[in-house]
Amino acid sequence: MAQIIVYGHRESIQRRRSALSDAIHGAVMTALDYPAEKRFHRFIALDPEDFIHPEDRGSDYTIIEISMFEGRTERAKRAVIAELFARLERDVGILAHSVEVTITETPTVNWGIRGANAADLSLGYQVDV
């Protein structure tokens, strides 16, 4: 499971929402061997006064927070970050310098999904990639 929150300037998010979602999901599927149908994205579009950051990041500055089950290897986490930088620059037009990514992992027992504790579910995909 991966839940993704994307923060950015309102105008940038509104203009690029679909391309951002496609690039992010493509990176997650490639690097984490993630199922195509498991897309969970939330976009937080912020006004300039609500999104303070160094000027050199520009109006395309984007923060991506990934919350996922623990169990991925360091190699897989490095791969998803590299894929995100590459796809956002190539497919969305946001320079890597203007992107920050954080990954937070938690045990499956800390998740409730489809009316059950995630530790008790058969997920149908591998987490330990």
Side-chain angles (χ1 to χ4, degrees), residues 36-95:
E37 69 277 6
K38 302 287 185 185
R39 186 184 299 216
F40 299 98
H41 299 169
R42 295 180 305 281
F43 292 88
I44 310 297
L46 299 163
D47 293 322
E49 62 270 15
D50 296 323
F51 198 30
I52 299 167
H53 54 79
E55 271 188 48
D56 69 332
R57 300 308 193 274
S59 61
D60 291 338
Y61 181 57
T62 304
I63 299 172
I64 300 170
E65 294 179 349
I66 304 171
S67 179
M68 63 186 187
F69 295 156
E70 66 182 358
R72 273 69 177 210
T73 63
E74 182 178 316
R75 188 174 103 189
K77 291 180 271 189
R78 286 177 175 275
V80 76
I81 290 171
E83 279 286 326
L84 284 166
F85 286 140
R87 289 171 184 260
L88 290 174
E89 191 159 333
R90 181 188 69 223
D91 301 341
V92 185
I94 299 175
L95 298 176

Side-chain angles (χ1 to χ4, degrees), residues 2-128:
Q3 293 281 344
I4 299 172
I5 301 174
V6 181
Y7 299 89
H9 287 275
R10 185 170 308 285
E11 186 273 329
S12 182
I13 291 284
Q14 289 173 340
R15 183 167 34 102
R16 296 182 163 119
R17 187 183 331 266
S18 180
L20 278 163
S21 183
D22 289 346
I24 291 166
H25 197 56
V28 170
M29 287 190 308
T30 297
L32 302 180
D33 196 25
Y34 203 68
E37 69 277 6
K38 302 287 185 185
R39 186 184 299 216
F40 299 98
H41 299 169
R42 295 180 305 281
F43 292 88
I44 310 297
L46 299 163
D47 293 322
E49 62 270 15
D50 296 323
F51 198 30
I52 299 167
H53 54 79
E55 271 188 48
D56 69 332
R57 300 308 193 274
S59 61
D60 291 338
Y61 181 57
T62 304
I63 299 172
I64 300 170
E65 294 179 349
I66 304 171
S67 179
M68 63 186 187
F69 295 156
E70 66 182 358
R72 273 69 177 210
T73 63
E74 182 178 316
R75 188 174 103 189
K77 291 180 271 189
R78 286 177 175 275
V80 76
I81 290 171
E83 279 286 326
L84 284 166
F85 286 140
R87 289 171 184 260
L88 290 174
E89 191 159 333
R90 181 188 69 223
D91 301 341
V92 185
I94 299 175
L95 298 176
H97 178 75
S98 294
V99 177
E100 292 187 18
V101 179
T102 60
I103 297 173
T104 303
E105 296 179 289
T106 55
T108 55
V109 73
N110 290 1
W111 291 67
I113 303 169
R114 300 186 306 264
N117 189 284
D120 301 328
L121 293 174
S122 172
L123 297 173
Y125 61 92
Q126 287 293 104
V127 173
D128 56 348

